[in-house]
Amino acid sequence: MITMDYDVAVIGAGVVGCAIARELSRYRLDVALIDAAEDVAMGASHANSAIVHAGYDCVPGTLMARLNVHGNELYDRWCQELNVPLKRIGTLVIAFGEADEAELKNLLELGEKNGVPGLKIISGDEARAMEPMLSQDVTAALYAPTGAITCPYEMTIACAENARHNGVKWMMNSPVTSIERRGDALHVTAGVYHLRAKYVVNAAGVHADEVARLIGDESFTIKPRKGEYMLLDRTAASLQKVIFQTPSKMGKGVLVSPTVDGNSFAGPTAVDIADKEDTSVTSASIDELSRLALKSTPSLNLRGVITSFAGVRAQPSTGDFIIRPSEIDPRMIFASGICSPGLSSAPAIAEEIASILKEEGLPLNRKPFFDAERQPIRAFRHMTDEEKKAAINESPLYGRVICRCETITEAEIVEAIRRGARSLDGVKRRTRAGMGRCQGGFCGPRVMEILSRELDIPMEALTKFGGGSNLLVGKTREDGKNK
Amino acid sequence: METREMTCIICPMGCALRVTRDGDTITVTGNTCKRGEKYGIQEMTMPMRTVTTSVTCRGGDRPLVSVKTKDQVPKEKIAEVLEACREASVQAPVRVGDVILADAAGAGSDVVATCNADAV
Amino acid sequence: MSCMVDVAIVGGGPAGLAAALAAKEAKPEAKVLVIERDKKLGGILRQCIHNGFGLHYFGEELTGPEYAQRFIDRVEKTDIEVWTDTMVLDVSQKREITCVNTELGLQKVEAGAVVLAMGCRERTRGALNIPGTRPAGVYTAGCAQRLVNMEGFMPGKEIVILGSGDIGLIMARRMTWEGAKVKLVAEIMPYSSGLNRNIVQCLVDNDIPLKFNHTVTAVNGRERVESVTVSEVDPATRRPIPGTEETIPCDTLLLSVGLIPENELSLAAGIQMDRVTSGAVVDETRQTSVPGVFACGNVLHVHDLVDNVSAEATLAGAAAARYAIDGPKATEWYAVKAENGVRYTAPQKLSKGASGKAELFFRVGNPVKNAAVEARCGDKVLARRKKNIMTPGEMEKIEIDLAEVQGEVVVTLV
């Protein structure tokens, strides 16, 4: 086994780990981005509310409050540089009567203390003018103009791609099984890799406490809290705003929101669970989501549901984000316990981690040729006719539509594979192939053929999302059995 | 004496037939038409089926060529016909109706191609 | 880069091919173009390698590929132009088609008439909202059918099938014949929408259990399906009955839970839709609400027999050619209403002043025995048919004389 030297090993390739890797790639550092899964964005980063929160509901003075509000500010620049969709459509917390209205006032106060700009309480009619689908029973709303929607897995992938472009090494399929504290460095064993890292950033999501235990740090635990969602087809609704109901102690409550792709969704539930990998959806939750979503927007067409899914939040036992060096060994820096508003805070967390590393003695010297730009996979469906003609001219595979529901071409799928997609879901997250109404019924076998061809691996070896998620169990006929 | 219950498949009525064999005499009850009786007797004496499957295609524009038994074969022969097809392969080009296996598995019917395959 | 044709047909499956041939036959001088997204013509029939097609249309029993090949052979004998591997992106109200392929790039086609024949797609797990995990091993029956019959891959070894429609039944037999173990076919309704013949020859022949009033209430397994939970449902509400859950170990769940016409192009073109069929509202020539745009086959309403698709497409193709060459005919229509146990009709309207016979396709909402169906115009009975049995799974038809239609027509059980 070859041992490789790194300045920083970032454990966890969710949005936080990838944002950190990207931030660190500005500097003259050797950085590794490590994940147990076969791809980036395989945990909560691909199954969450996709909202860049304004930051009015965090307790003032917490890391959550500060990093959410600052993260929200950073989003414009990050999304512009990384070419990730961001729509500042604004969010509404809606009230159904006096008790809820009191809660709105409370949230307004918190938000003002946190420095959230532009917050105001508006009447039910004003809210309905902003969002015509809103229930007639809504009596008032807290409007937060800085609330935005983005695409969380595209943000994660974009950070990871940009980090790689600037020299960060990806190590996927590499579960971290041991971290030895030696004098020269932390020795990290991750799958087939063995790294000598001056610093380790623990951004391991729901598994961050287990990674902390590898150096004997027991200062916190991560409690998995499941959030289930229902995704609706584009034709089911056209929402203008993100609509929250008033929060409970379990979280921000059930919301309905458009996505940057024009779909809409309802969720999340908040269920404390024992198993960190439990992303099952229960029928009781689907019923509950339906009921609550219709309370906010009675005209939502729930027959337009195309899928339901769940993500697991990493709830920290401390009640706040854990962003500090370990007291057992300060060479491990925690970016842990990043539950909601983790997506919103990710760019700010990345800056915070960089400054902690500097305080801990890592010299941060800017690279002269850092390239902040990341080009997206050019989406055929968003091109004008002239652009489409030119694209096909340049690459004929743009002329072959593979995913009919989302109009995704073979060129886009090939490019996704070139950028690191290794599975059906990896292609789906990068291109949207299989994300539409037929959920891959038509394009699944075709995407598999392309994966098999481009990666030069047999169809039977292909997976849905890595590991043992094999799609096929074998062939119906042996090749040339009878000559 | 042997009695079997079966659903008639001749029309959507799906009559519940009761077919009894007593020596050489077969009686069908539960049918509402003459065709049901005929079906019941056939199923009792010699049920026949068309087998459709595919065989490996060599040198063609597709990995498999779909095939069928040209005539129906006795039901108990289905497994053997399928096995014969699983073992078989065909060189492209292939045209609909080409005989792939003559009297497959001795079941009394040729297996013929049901699609075209061009050589590549 | 724009080309002009008289009749452009979107889709080269059974509907599109029959429409193309009919257009050519009606107006031999018409320039006819078929645009197909797959690399070959034939549509879904290419993967339906089982027999049972063509008894009505050809008077003999064919497999799907054979049925398709007969039409393909006929098309090849004409000057009908075919573009395969070509995706239609848009059909405008002015009948301008935008399509792409790897050779011609982005193409605009101006058509005198358009026939929409895009077929249908399968309902998915998401549309049913089946709870549980999201592992590999959940396939629609048609997707599995393509993998097994055309590509030679086995999606799984131990199978549970949800839905006893014909595709589910056919796949139960196919998977068994390919060496897999089909453990159960679960059907949420108290009856199957599949043909008796398929229940007998696919399930009974292979000792595969079929449970009515049962559905899958959870998918279990993290990476690959490990089991599914099946529950009995209350026949009245179709909600699962707590306490009836049974866990069936399996590696694959196949879904055969309904087909949905693939009408994204029609919707984008602003065509008026029928909420029951999820297809366009058409007249007896299968003309939609957009003049010169016709629809036929499964994109119009889901058929159970391809023979009916061919017959319907023949009407649409011929009418499209006449529209393109002779110009529009009908400008006013009478509505056709489905009432009292009749769930829908196709067509949903009839041209004023039309003559000749017209078949009204319809489906009943629930199985009915010893019933009669009538087509009425006011007090006048246009046609009456008695049937021993009618089921939602089988499309029925009733023929009327168009010359007798003087107002709204009602199709109703009596």
Side-chain angles (χ1 to χ4, degrees):
Chain A
M1 192 180 286
I2 305 164
T3 302
M4 294 170 288
D5 287 302
Y6 283 91
D7 294 303
V8 185
V10 180
I11 300 173
V15 69
V16 172
C18 292
I20 292 166
R22 189 234 179 190
E23 183 63 25
L24 295 180
S25 73
R26 296 175 189 276
Y27 305 102
R28 285 192 208 164
L29 299 171
D30 289 322
V31 179
L33 176 64
I34 302 170
D35 203 283
E38 61 119 29
D39 200 355
V40 304
M42 290 288 281
S45 300
H46 85 267
N48 60 67
S49 302
I51 293 164
V52 181
H53 296 285
Y56 48 75
D57 64 335
C58 307
V59 178
T62 58
L63 283 168
M64 282 182 183
R66 176 164 64 83
L67 296 171
N68 180 349
V69 174
H70 184 47
N72 183 304
E73 289 165 2
L74 292 176
Y75 252 86
D76 291 290
R77 179 162 57 80
W78 278 57
C79 286
Q80 194 184 5
E81 289 171 348
L82 297 170
N83 274 292
V84 172
L86 177 74
K87 293 185 181 170
R88 293 228 177 246
I89 58 173
T91 61
L92 295 171
V93 185
I94 53 175
F96 297 90
E98 282 175 18
D100 288 345
E101 285 178 31
E103 179 59 24
L104 297 188
K105 289 199 183 80
N106 177 36
L107 290 172
L108 178 67
E109 269 177 43
L110 290 179
E112 283 170 348
K113 278 185 193 155
N114 291 343
V116 178
L119 286 177
K120 61 176 174 182
I121 290 177
I122 58 176
S123 70
D125 285 339
E126 286 171 310
R128 276 182 290 275
M130 283 185 182
E131 174 51 74
M133 285 188 69
L134 218 52
S135 164
Q136 290 301 318
D137 298 335
V138 170
T139 55
L142 175 68
Y143 174 55
T146 56
I149 56 174
T150 184
C151 177
Y153 43 86
E154 184 158 0
M155 177 69 179
T156 309
I157 290 166
C159 286
E161 284 182 0
N162 187 237
R164 181 173 59 190
H165 176 62
N166 287 297
V168 171
K169 165 89 174 155
W170 286 23
M171 297 179 183
M172 299 296 115
N173 280 316
S174 306
V176 173
T177 46
S178 80
I179 302 175
E180 275 181 66
R181 296 167 54 210
R182 295 205 200 154
D184 62 333
L186 294 171
H187 289 236
V188 180
T189 305
V192 298
Y193 300 102
H194 186 232
L195 299 82
R196 261 191 309 254
K198 287 181 192 146
Y199 297 88
V200 165
V201 175
N202 179 353
V206 288
H207 298 293
D209 50 352
E210 296 153 54
V211 171
R213 299 299 180 273
L214 293 176
I215 60 159
D217 189 318
E218 299 187 353
S219 60
F220 65 92
T221 57
I222 302 295
K223 291 181 294 179
R225 182 175 290 170
K226 186 163 71 176
E228 294 145 287
Y229 295 88
M230 285 161 63
L231 182 69
L232 304 176
D233 190 24
R234 292 203 187 101
T235 53
S238 61
L239 291 162
Q240 308 299 315
K241 298 276 178 249
V242 181
I243 306 160
F244 295 91
Q245 292 173 10
T246 50
S248 73
K249 67 179 188 332
M250 289 293 277
K252 294 182 170 70
V254 168
L255 59 103
V256 289
S257 172
T259 72
V260 289
D261 298 298
N263 299 74
S264 47
F265 73 89
T269 57
V271 186
D272 285 329
I273 51 174
D275 178 354
K276 289 175 174 178
E277 307 290 336
D278 174 10
T279 53
S280 63
V281 176
T282 67
S283 59
S285 296
I286 290 171
D287 292 346
E288 179 72 356
L289 285 181
S290 304
R291 187 180 68 76
L292 290 168
L294 291 176
K295 187 181 174 197
S296 296
T297 50
S299 58
L300 203 65
N301 177 12
L302 293 176
R303 287 175 63 193
V305 63
I306 50 179
T307 188
S308 49
F309 60 90
V312 181
R313 310 170 182 88
Q315 295 296 133
S317 55
T318 60
D320 195 3
F321 292 161
I322 301 160
I323 297 175
R324 58 171 171 82
S326 165
E327 283 165 10
I328 302 294
D329 190 326
R331 291 175 295 181
M332 178 180 280
I333 318 291
F334 296 130
S336 307
I338 312 297
C339 52
S340 177
L343 175 67
S344 319
S345 307
I349 294 171
E351 288 187 357
E352 187 84 359
I353 291 292
S355 70
I356 292 174
L357 283 164
K358 193 175 178 187
E359 281 165 30
E360 292 298 318
L362 182 68
L364 298 185
N365 299 312
R366 286 195 175 270
K367 272 181 198 154
F369 301 115
F370 172 73
D371 182 0
E373 293 261 327
R374 170 260 180 187
Q375 294 308 319
I377 296 175
R378 288 175 59 215
F380 184 73
R381 66 189 182 283
H382 293 148
M383 295 178 189
T384 64
D385 281 358
E386 289 312 310
E387 288 168 339
K388 284 175 179 162
K389 282 178 192 168
I392 300 168
N393 224 359
E394 204 178 297
S395 164
L397 293 183
Y398 267 114
R400 182 174 291 139
V401 174
I402 301 293
C403 168
R404 287 137 58 156
C405 302
E406 300 288 318
T407 319
I408 311 300
T409 64
E410 187 164 349
E412 292 157 80
I413 292 166
V414 169
E415 175 64 12
I417 297 167
R418 200 187 64 75
R419 293 181 182 211
R422 292 289 173 271
S423 65
L424 219 46
D425 283 0
V427 169
K428 178 162 105 174
R429 278 194 298 277
R430 284 171 178 82
T431 64
R432 293 187 64 75
M435 221 172 252
R437 291 168 295 272
C438 89
Q439 290 286 295
F442 280 116
C443 67
R446 289 167 182 80
V447 174
M448 286 161 68
E449 279 170 36
I450 299 168
L451 274 164
S452 171
R453 183 190 74 208
E454 294 294 314
L455 299 173
D456 194 22
I457 54 176
M459 291 276 281
E460 302 94 293
L462 294 174
T463 65
K464 187 167 187 284
F465 48 79
S469 65
N470 289 61
L471 291 155
L472 303 171
V473 300
K475 288 186 172 173
T476 61
R477 305 281 178 274
E478 296 298 322
D479 286 325
K481 190 171 172 183
N482 181 357
K483 296 282 152 36
Chain B
M1 200 169 87
E2 183 193 359
T3 299
R4 265 193 256 164
E5 317 259 339
M6 60 183 77
T7 307
C8 179
I9 66 163
I10 300 298
C11 84
M13 280 288 280
C15 294
L17 306 183
R18 199 179 162 84
V19 188
T20 307
R21 188 205 319 244
D22 191 357
D24 287 344
T25 323
I26 296 175
T27 49
V28 179
T29 58
N31 57 311
T32 47
C33 76
K34 203 68 187 151
R35 292 185 301 166
E37 183 181 355
K38 199 178 157 203
Y39 172 78
I41 293 168
Q42 176 76 46
E43 281 293 289
M44 190 64 158
T45 51
M46 180 67 120
M48 301 290 282
R49 300 286 186 266
T50 299
V51 178
T52 61
T53 182
S54 50
V55 301
T56 304
C57 176
R58 286 175 280 116
D61 58 355
R62 50 174 69 208
L64 299 171
V65 163
S66 55
V67 298
K68 68 173 183 184
T69 53
K70 197 163 187 300
D71 305 300
Q72 293 196 330
V73 297
K75 195 174 131 186
E76 77 258 16
K77 285 281 193 184
I78 292 174
E80 289 168 61
V81 172
L82 287 169
E83 186 53 31
C85 292
R86 203 168 287 130
E87 298 288 325
S89 68
V90 61
Q91 180 73 42
V94 180
R95 286 291 166 270
V96 171
D98 286 359
V99 176
I100 307 295
L101 291 171
D103 189 15
S109 169
D110 292 347
V111 165
V112 297
T114 59
C115 71
N116 292 350
D118 293 326
V120 289
Chain C
M1 278 209 298
S2 178
C3 78
M4 288 168 78
V5 299
D6 295 306
V7 182
I9 293 158
V10 184
L17 293 170
L21 288 165
K24 196 78 219 170
E25 193 167 316
K27 294 287 176 187
E29 72 274 30
K31 191 176 176 200
V32 179
L33 169 67
V34 178
I35 307 173
E36 165 58 37
R37 58 192 159 199
D38 214 331
K39 290 183 182 176
K40 291 188 182 237
L41 291 174
I44 207 72
L45 287 176
R46 298 178 64 220
Q47 68 186 52
C48 299
I49 67 171
H50 55 281
N51 60 318
F53 302 90
L55 269 172
H56 298 258
Y57 199 83
F58 290 112
E60 61 180 304
E61 204 174 333
L62 301 172
T63 64
E66 289 173 304
Y67 189 97
Q69 195 60 45
R70 293 207 174 183
F71 283 87
I72 295 167
D73 289 346
R74 289 185 189 179
V75 166
E76 282 174 354
K77 289 199 183 82
T78 68
D79 62 354
I80 293 168
E81 190 163 341
V82 175
W83 293 354
T84 53
D85 203 8
T86 304
M87 182 78 184
V88 172
L89 300 176
D90 185 62
V91 177
S92 80
Q93 295 222 334
K94 291 184 173 157
R95 302 183 299 280
E96 185 187 56
I97 293 175
T98 309
C99 58
V100 285
N101 65 33
T102 55
E103 282 169 28
L104 299 169
L106 188 93
Q107 274 282 330
K108 300 269 186 188
V109 177
E110 289 171 40
V114 173
V115 181
L116 302 174
M118 291 87 76
C120 58
R121 65 165 181 270
E122 298 176 280
R123 283 183 82 199
T124 64
R125 173 185 176 181
L128 300 178
N129 241 331
I130 302 174
T133 55
R134 310 192 57 73
V138 181
Y139 288 97
T140 57
C143 183
Q145 188 178 47
R146 183 186 170 97
L147 285 166
V148 172
N149 290 348
M150 293 184 65
E151 295 169 18
F153 292 104
M154 283 296 276
K157 286 277 182 210
E158 298 202 313
I159 321 285
V160 169
I161 298 177
L162 176 60
S164 65
D166 286 312
I167 312 172
L169 300 175
I170 293 287
M171 281 311 290
R173 177 174 64 187
R174 177 63 54 206
M175 295 309 291
T176 306
W177 280 4
E178 294 292 349
K181 171 80 186 159
V182 178
K183 296 186 148 183
L184 175 69
V185 176
E187 169 59 61
I188 194 169
M189 300 300 286
Y191 53 86
S192 167
S193 62
L195 299 170
N196 272 325
R197 172 192 148 114
N198 284 333
I199 292 175
V200 171
Q201 297 195 349
C202 298
L203 301 190
V204 178
D205 273 8
N206 294 296
D207 297 321
I208 298 167
L210 167 62
K211 283 189 178 173
F212 293 120
N213 296 316
H214 278 71
T215 192
V216 172
T217 47
V219 174
N220 313 307
R222 180 153 300 156
E223 295 183 320
R224 177 81 198 192
V225 174
E226 288 165 16
S227 67
V228 297
T229 306
V230 173
S231 302
E232 190 175 345
V233 299
D234 181 331
T237 61
R238 285 189 236 160
R239 300 281 294 179
I241 303 170
T244 62
E245 299 85 1
E246 181 191 359
T247 300
I248 303 178
C250 60
D251 63 12
T252 303
L253 173 65
L254 295 188
L255 301 172
S256 171
V257 288
L259 300 170
I260 304 165
E262 181 106 54
N263 266 307
E264 281 61 41
L265 291 173
S266 325
L267 286 165
I271 288 169
Q272 187 195 346
M273 305 298 285
D274 180 329
R275 285 181 66 100
V276 180
T277 59
S278 299
V281 171
V282 292
D283 68 15
E284 75 285 356
T285 69
R286 302 305 188 263
Q287 183 173 215
T288 69
S289 64
V290 174
V293 178
F294 298 75
C296 57
N298 282 348
V299 79
L300 183 59
H301 56 128
V302 175
H303 295 61
D304 30 71
L305 291 178
V306 70
D307 308 66
N308 287 331
V309 169
S310 301
E312 181 175 87
T314 301
L315 292 175
R322 286 194 294 269
Y323 183 98
I325 304 294
D326 302 339
K329 230 161 119 189
T331 49
E332 285 184 83
W333 290 269
Y334 297 117
V336 181
K337 291 265 166 68
E339 281 183 8
N340 185 33
V342 177
R343 210 160 66 83
Y344 74 81
T345 68
Q348 296 89 340
K349 58 184 183 178
L350 300 168
S351 310
K352 283 188 184 172
S355 59
K357 302 277 185 192
E359 284 180 332
L360 306 179
F361 289 115
F362 68 93
R363 278 182 202 271
V364 293
N366 286 298
V368 283
K369 285 197 171 177
N370 298 318
V373 62
E374 270 183 12
R376 282 201 293 253
C377 182
D379 294 336
K380 184 171 181 166
V381 176
L382 302 175
R384 182 187 168 91
R385 263 191 85 190
K386 283 183 84 171
K387 286 275 286 186
N388 287 335
I389 185 160
M390 284 184 270
T391 64
E394 296 214 24
M395 200 165 71
E396 303 285 346
K397 56 192 171 187
I398 185 165
E399 190 178 72
I400 60 167
D401 188 344
L402 288 168
E404 292 186 337
V405 176
Q406 301 297 330
E408 182 181 291
V409 172
V410 173
V411 179
T412 174
L413 294 181
V414 286

